[in-house]
Every structure is written in C-alpha cells, then in structure tokens.
Amino acid sequence: MSQQNELLQRAHARAEAQNLPYSGALTPDEAHALLGSLPNARLIDVRTQAEWQFVGAPEQAIKVEWKSWPGMVPNPHFLEQLKHQTDAEQPLFFLCRTGARSHEAAALAAANGYSECYNVLEGFEGDRDAAGHRGQTNGWKGRGLPWSQG
C-alpha cells in the first residue's frame, strides 16, 4: 500500500471513529505529505486576515475566512469564495488555529457537495505550552512545516 493510501485510510478511520460529517481528519504532517503527493489537493486556511498577517500562514494555503475579526462574525460568503478558488472534486484540507473552525468549515463544505473534505487536527498554532504560548508544542507551525509571516 502506498504512503498516500495509508495516510488517507488513517484519516478516514478517524472520521469513522468520531462520526465526523466529512471524509477524514489529518495530522499536520499527514496533510503536508498529502499536499506533496496529491497534485490536486488544496490546503484551505480558514483563519482571519489578522491571523494570516500577524501569526503567519502555510505557504501554499488558499485563504478563505470562516469568521472575520473583530467580533468573529461568520463570513456569509464563505461557500461562494471557496467555490471561486476550488473545485468540488478536489481533496480539501481545512486548517484554522487549533482545529475547531476548520472542523465547521469542512462539515459545511461536505454538506454542500464537496466530495473530499478533511480537517487538519491541531491547526496552525496547536495547543498552548506550559507558558500559555501557541505555535511551539504542536500544530503546523510547531511541527516546523513550511509557513511564512506577514
């Protein structure tokens, strides 16, 4: 079995075990590996513009806000903006700060005809460390995966 198939099977198994309404759940390392091996896969960063600018973002991410700052107001144009930048048949890997907003975005996309939606567990910044800081312990940034700031 190829590494690609093995990673996808793990993601599907997590979705089944947790009764998720989308295709699967990936660790940041798995998502990064699949982005390198699935040429049509896309990483969708659903954080806010402020987060992209001040905290950083994965280099290859398509940016579509799920909620906007200030006030964390839901983006009423989320699906329209997603459809403008992706295809419903592409594997989409949704990412936020910790995995909560991306879970909601993946569920909505799956409910609206996207065939392969995955949540990236841990998100971009991951859990807080002992000092209360994110981006060190786990998540995309904490695992040292490619990202840029500003």
Side-chain angles (χ1 to χ4, degrees):
M1 175 185 315
S2 72
Q3 179 191 20
Q4 178 181 332
N5 287 338
E6 184 178 315
L7 295 176
L8 289 170
Q9 283 188 351
R10 274 191 233 155
H12 292 287
R14 287 183 195 113
E16 192 172 300
Q18 297 175 36
N19 198 29
L20 299 175
Y22 43 81
S23 301
L26 298 162
T27 68
D29 291 319
E30 292 168 344
H32 182 257
L34 287 168
L35 287 164
S37 67
L38 292 172
N40 62 337
R42 299 292 180 264
L43 181 63
I44 312 300
D45 189 334
V46 301
R47 295 174 303 138
T48 66
Q49 289 184 20
E51 288 171 298
W52 302 326
Q53 183 175 356
F54 298 116
V55 180
E59 294 173 352
Q60 63 220 58
I62 294 170
K63 298 170 182 168
V64 184
E65 283 187 315
W66 176 249
K67 294 181 177 179
S68 300
W69 182 262
M72 297 309 280
V73 177
N75 176 2
H77 307 290
F78 177 80
L79 279 174
E80 178 183 324
Q81 292 168 353
L82 184 66
K83 288 178 184 178
H84 180 71
Q85 298 183 69
T86 63
D87 183 280
E89 299 304 314
Q90 290 177 296
L92 301 180
F93 306 154
F94 291 88
L95 175 86
C96 68
R97 183 179 66 180
T98 61
R101 285 175 281 171
S102 53
H103 163 79
E104 294 171 353
L108 181 70
N112 282 274
Y114 283 85
S115 61
E116 288 189 71
C117 298
Y118 298 84
N119 185 25
V120 179
L121 303 168
E122 303 170 14
F124 183 70
E125 293 183 77
D127 298 322
R128 295 175 197 242
D129 64 14
H133 302 141
R134 295 187 191 277
Q136 307 295 316
T137 305
N138 58 11
W140 189 277
K141 193 174 182 180
R143 292 179 184 276
L145 299 173
W147 67 281
S148 61
Q149 189 168 10

